[in-house]
Amino acid sequence: GSSSDTLGKLRCSNVARSFINEATCFLSTMSATCPSTEVDHADASAGIIVCGSLGEVANDPSLPETFAIETEEHGVTDSDKIENQKSVVWAEIGLFGPDQMRQRMAWALAQIVTTVPENIDARDLTEVHVNFYDTLVRNAFGNYRDILKEASYSPLMGEHLSYYRTKSHAFVYQDDDKKISSADENYAREIMQLFSIGLIELNDDGTPVLDPATGSP
């Protein structure tokens, strides 16, 4: 959904296509699909692939507080409300959803598998952020490995932890006249340090491995 000059970062309101949500995708030729001025609309006939979350349902306009829409021609709310919309969506479901155990588990997982809106160019958009949170809700009672897999393929996480469009040393060496380089290892560190094993080596029962001489981890 973005042109080559956007460096692959999130510019459009719709969710990027992946092996997880490709069944939800369709091709849209509407210019309002991606109103970002940084996306080239010169060839409107080519269209933009629009995707969503698994199990997503459309807004019901008969209900209050549906998604606000912002396009090139229309803005039904001001920009600060658009930016806060993702928080409102979460609060409504998290506080009043009938599946409170699932919502609380997803919230706990969100404190571990984190993204920071300030690190995302599309911080003022809604769907790309709630789509990432949907991963935690959907897998709240599932396998943690599935959560890490989906998070690893998320463009939101890729932009947040800087591995989107990174290249291996072997690729750069062959492609750029034997140039010596290093791949971005930020996510590799974070997925071990913050998302899984942590900083302290553990015994099989989860207790810290202690230094026999000092008694410290």
Side-chain angles (χ1 to χ4, degrees):
S2 60
S3 60
S4 58
D5 61 352
T6 65
L7 299 180
K9 293 186 177 181
L10 296 167
R11 307 289 188 185
C12 304
S13 59
N14 57 279
V15 179
R17 180 174 61 177
S18 72
F19 71 95
I20 300 162
N21 68 355
E22 60 185 359
T24 72
C25 301
F26 64 94
L27 187 67
S28 173
T29 56
M30 296 175 59
S31 61
T33 299
C34 188
S36 171
T37 57
E38 299 185 55
V39 176
D40 184 11
H41 293 288
D43 186 9
S45 62
I48 294 175
I49 296 176
V50 179
C51 303
S53 293
L54 292 177
E56 183 178 3
V57 296
N59 283 334
D60 183 347
S62 68
L63 299 175
E65 300 189 42
T66 57
F67 273 99
I69 304 299
E70 186 177 47
T71 70
E72 290 175 317
E73 300 178 356
H74 303 286
V76 299
T77 58
D78 52 47
S79 59
D80 63 323
K81 290 182 180 178
I82 288 288
E83 187 168 333
N84 290 333
Q85 184 170 249
K86 54 185 173 292
S87 299
V88 174
V89 170
W90 169 81
E92 286 287 326
I93 297 174
L95 293 176
F96 306 116
D99 54 346
Q100 282 296 296
M101 183 62 73
R102 179 179 294 276
Q103 295 300 327
R104 295 183 187 202
M105 187 65 189
W107 171 246
L109 289 167
Q111 311 314 300
I112 302 172
V113 187
T114 58
T115 60
V116 179
E118 286 73 14
N119 292 346
I120 311 298
D121 282 0
R123 59 175 296 183
D124 59 329
L125 301 179
T126 298
E127 192 167 1
V128 292
H129 292 273
V130 297
N131 173 261
F132 181 82
Y133 195 79
D134 284 344
T135 297
L136 308 179
V137 175
R138 188 170 61 253
N139 294 288
F141 303 134
N143 190 307
Y144 189 60
R145 181 173 180 173
D146 293 336
I147 294 176
L148 292 182
K149 181 178 180 179
E150 291 198 31
S152 298
Y153 279 93
S154 166
L156 199 72
M157 183 65 75
E159 189 173 338
H160 166 54
L161 289 179
S162 65
Y163 63 87
Y164 201 96
R165 297 178 70 89
T166 186
K167 300 174 183 178
S168 69
H169 164 64
F171 178 87
V172 175
Y173 187 82
Q174 293 180 340
D175 192 58
D176 197 5
D177 194 26
K178 299 184 178 181
K179 178 181 178 180
I180 302 298
S181 66
S182 298
D184 189 317
E185 298 179 346
N186 188 33
Y187 186 64
R189 174 185 61 81
E190 295 280 15
I191 200 170
M192 292 187 291
Q193 179 178 329
L194 296 182
F195 298 168
S196 57
I197 62 177
L199 296 174
I200 300 174
E201 185 179 0
L202 302 178
N203 295 305
D204 289 341
D205 63 358
T207 57
V209 174
L210 303 179
D211 185 324
T214 64
S216 300

